[in-house]
Amino acid sequence: MTARSRGKTARSRGAGEPPVHPSLLDWMQWLRGRLDGARAAQLQAHLQECARCTKDRELLAPFYGAVRVGPLSAPPRRARERVRRLPAQRPAPPAPARPHSVRWPARDVRGFGPASTGESAMVARSCPGAEISVMATPPRGDGRWRIEGRVWLHQPDARAIGVVLAHDDHVLATAELRDGGQFALEEIVSTGWTLEFHLPAGGTLVLKDPFA
């Protein structure tokens, strides 16, 4: 038998057997420890003589090898105690307390809506407990409102001022700011929204959608 015919016989004898090089899926399963003992031993033996597959395994090991290390260790006790003390869920924004409705500037006598700069409505007022300056810009094709402003407390207070953008009973966005701080909210919301300022000393200032 010639060398050429012996090669043909070897190739025909190998038909139907697993490929010479294990697939990447084989190596992933091996790294995860999901192959039976016989197949895992075959791959281990293959590594001893195949530089190509050794490189494949080295590439996959950082992503799949960690699961073979063993059970995960518990985090430190101090960390577990801190997690237990966390609230089960984020507290809901407070309900308006002693709400005070803030009016936007009167409608323009020519009937173009609230006093505005371009397409934005603006209000700057002294209210019970605070002074506010707010600008509301309606959507420009994407349904997204931009509402921004600033709040100054009449009496200094280190506690946060809560800002809530709502529509009916739905809270759409919230923010917290300090005395004299600025806020900016961008949300997709239909007309008829309300903006609430929850003052730290009590009382809530409420602005309604000027374009509703």
Side-chain angles (χ1 to χ4, degrees), residues 78-142:
R78 184 178 180 183
R80 298 199 303 271
E81 291 298 327
R82 291 185 64 183
V83 170
R84 290 193 186 100
R85 289 195 296 268
L86 292 175
Q89 58 185 5
R90 184 178 180 180
R98 303 196 308 273
H100 173 81
S101 181
V102 182
R103 294 182 178 275
W104 295 83
R107 294 178 63 87
D108 189 283
V109 294
R110 291 176 297 276
F112 293 125
S116 62
T117 301
E119 298 180 3
S120 299
M122 299 181 65
V123 60
R125 292 214 184 271
S126 180
C127 309
E131 295 183 7
I132 64 171
S133 177
V134 179
M135 180 169 66
T137 304
R140 296 174 178 172
D142 61 354

Side-chain angles (χ1 to χ4, degrees), residues 137-148:
T137 304
R140 296 174 178 172
D142 61 354
R144 188 180 301 275
W145 283 79
R146 179 175 176 83
I147 305 171
E148 54 193 313

Side-chain angles (χ1 to χ4, degrees), residues 98 129-130 151-163 175-181 197-203:
R98 303 196 308 273
V151 182
W152 298 267
L153 298 174
H154 289 169
Q155 298 295 329
D157 197 316
R159 292 173 293 177
I161 303 165
V163 183
E176 287 189 348
L177 60 151
R178 303 295 175 180
D179 185 9
F197 297 97
H198 297 263
L199 306 182

Side-chain angles (χ1 to χ4, degrees), residues 8-118:
K8 290 182 178 179
T9 303
R11 284 195 291 274
S12 63
R13 187 168 56 245
E17 294 180 359
V20 174
H21 295 284
S23 67
L24 292 179
L25 180 59
D26 285 329
W27 292 120
M28 290 161 54
Q29 298 290 354
W30 180 77
L31 287 166
R32 288 174 168 175
R34 296 181 179 176
L35 296 178
D36 59 38
R39 182 59 177 152
Q42 290 177 358
L43 268 65
Q44 181 67 49
H46 184 82
L47 282 177
Q48 305 303 318
E49 57 185 25
C50 181
R52 167 185 154 181
C53 287
T54 298
K55 289 183 179 180
D56 288 343
R57 175 196 169 281
E58 290 174 352
L59 288 173
L60 292 171
F63 303 98
Y64 297 97
V67 298
R68 302 184 68 238
V69 172
L72 295 175
S73 59
R77 181 178 178 180
R78 184 178 180 183
R80 298 199 303 271
E81 291 298 327
R82 291 185 64 183
V83 170
R84 290 193 186 100
R85 289 195 296 268
L86 292 175
Q89 58 185 5
R90 184 178 180 180
R98 303 196 308 273
H100 173 81
S101 181
V102 182
R103 294 182 178 275
W104 295 83
R107 294 178 63 87
D108 189 283
V109 294
R110 291 176 297 276
F112 293 125
S116 62
T117 301

Side-chain angles (χ1 to χ4, degrees), residues 176-200:
E176 287 189 348
L177 60 151
R178 303 295 175 180
D179 185 9
Q182 295 178 303
F183 72 93
L185 303 173
E186 290 193 7
E187 289 292 329
I188 296 176
V189 56
S190 60
T191 56
W193 50 262
T194 59
L195 185 68
E196 303 171 359
F197 297 97
H198 297 263
L199 306 182

